[in-house]
Amino acid sequence: MSEHKEEMLNRLERDLRNLEKVKKIYLKEPFNRIGAMTYFGDLYERIGLDFIVGAEDITEGRKVFYKSMVNWIWVYEHYNKNQDVCRFPNEINSESYRRMYFAVISGNWTIATKIAEFYFEFQKLDEEPMEPYSVELCNVIKYLILDRDEECMSALEKLESLSATDRHYKKMVEGQAIAVRGLLTKDEVLFNKGLLQVFKNHEAKVKREGNGIYGYFCYDGVALAMIGMRRGFNITIEHEKLKPEYLEKSDIDYSQIVIDKEIYITEEEFVNNKWGWCD
């Protein structure tokens, strides 16, 4: 067994134990359930990665990503209904691009479009502003998922402008920008060129910063490949982190996935209680 697979299997076991432990804690303290929804959204993302990389089970990973997205949709829906009384944590907004990619990888296009529709640029004065590249990258992915190509191209041009003048931004988004331009211009060669660059950039980042939680799985590359296939593009590149099973169509009955409904709270509870989001 490879070192990283053993590491991810150990983490899967630990994360599953932690999931059940935290569920019990939150059920005893109902006023913390809004925290549970955000916590479980993040934890399910990690568990999904554990299944894909450690257990090499892409189907189970997709199911867990789906559960994560159900949690986040609940958070988005309740926040959208109560913007006048609640502050939306900046970190949730700034991580939306990753969440949209995970929604795509879940294999359920309905939930991917719903997550994309909920992405919004809302910042209160007391929140740290999102980095410009994060805003435009989120917009690019949102419009790409929603097949709103003209708006996607407009956001892409802004993203390309940012990356042209900043080396850090270029490393972050260059491959994704090339791949998306290929999709929008129906240029399969350009799309695959950008896709390969995404995987190469991921590899370079791992060498610079270590594997971390996302080091073993290039989620942006896998998601873009899935979007490309949905648009009728052939994937002509090869890379060790783009396994054939990642791109196989999932035969999942999403209606049978058990969702943690017991931790949801009512809208009245959401508005009237204090979670640090509402004043």
Side-chain angles (χ1 to χ4, degrees), residues 262-277:
E262 72 273 14
I263 66 169
Y264 291 7
I265 65 174
T266 67
E267 187 171 345
E268 183 180 359
E269 287 177 306
F270 181 83
V271 174
N272 293 336
N273 285 284
K274 306 292 184 179
W275 301 283
W277 292 16

Side-chain angles (χ1 to χ4, degrees), residues 79-261:
Y79 173 75
N80 275 351
K81 291 176 182 177
N82 300 285
Q83 288 187 31
D84 57 328
V85 294
C86 293
R87 293 183 293 109
F88 197 57
N90 183 60
E91 65 271 13
I92 292 178
N93 210 6
S94 63
E95 293 177 356
S96 292
Y97 66 88
R98 188 177 70 232
R99 195 154 299 126
M100 285 188 275
Y101 278 147
F102 283 153
V104 170
I105 296 169
S106 78
N108 186 300
W109 199 255
T110 299
I111 209 162
T113 55
K114 193 156 189 175
I115 287 288
E117 286 167 352
F118 269 119
Y119 167 69
F120 52 89
E121 298 168 37
F122 178 84
Q123 296 295 322
K124 291 276 190 177
L125 293 177
D126 59 348
E127 297 283 357
E128 290 293 324
M130 288 174 65
E131 289 191 82
Y133 93 90
S134 291
V135 173
E136 297 309 332
L137 179 57
C138 285
N139 284 331
V140 166
I141 301 164
K142 169 183 176 172
Y143 294 131
L144 185 66
I145 291 172
L146 297 177
D147 295 326
R148 289 159 58 176
D149 287 5
E150 288 186 12
E151 292 162 289
C152 185
M153 180 63 82
S154 176
L156 177 62
E157 289 172 350
K158 293 176 183 177
L159 184 65
E160 289 171 332
S161 177
L162 287 169
S163 64
T165 57
D166 191 297
R167 188 177 178 183
H168 171 68
Y169 291 162
K170 187 173 183 178
K171 286 180 181 178
M172 294 288 292
V173 303
E174 181 182 33
Q176 296 176 75
I178 294 171
V180 172
R181 181 166 285 279
L183 289 172
L184 296 179
T185 59
K186 297 179 172 58
D187 186 333
E188 189 171 274
V189 173
L190 184 63
F191 165 68
N192 278 282
K193 176 184 176 182
L195 190 60
L196 182 58
Q197 190 62 47
V198 172
F199 283 95
K200 287 182 175 179
N201 287 350
H202 178 267
E203 212 167 33
K205 184 178 180 181
V206 168
K207 287 180 180 178
R208 290 193 312 270
E209 303 175 10
N211 276 300
I213 188 172
Y214 303 111
Y216 300 121
F217 185 65
C218 182
Y219 62 83
D220 43 3
V222 173
L224 283 170
M226 291 177 68
I227 293 172
M229 289 180 65
R230 181 178 175 273
R231 287 182 172 231
F233 281 58
N234 294 309
I235 309 302
T236 60
I237 68 165
E238 293 183 2
H239 194 279
E240 64 178 355
K241 290 187 177 178
L242 183 60
K243 296 181 179 181
E245 58 265 32
Y246 291 171
L247 303 181
E248 292 174 357
K249 188 174 181 180
S250 297
D251 186 20
I252 299 172
D253 183 352
Y254 293 90
S255 68
Q256 297 302 308
I257 297 176
V258 178
I259 304 299
D260 306 303
K261 293 182 179 179

Side-chain angles (χ1 to χ4, degrees), residues 20-32:
E20 293 308 313
K21 179 181 177 181
V22 175
K23 275 185 186 179
K24 291 178 182 178
I25 293 172
Y26 278 116
L27 286 172
K28 289 179 180 178
E29 300 289 344
F31 59 86
N32 277 335

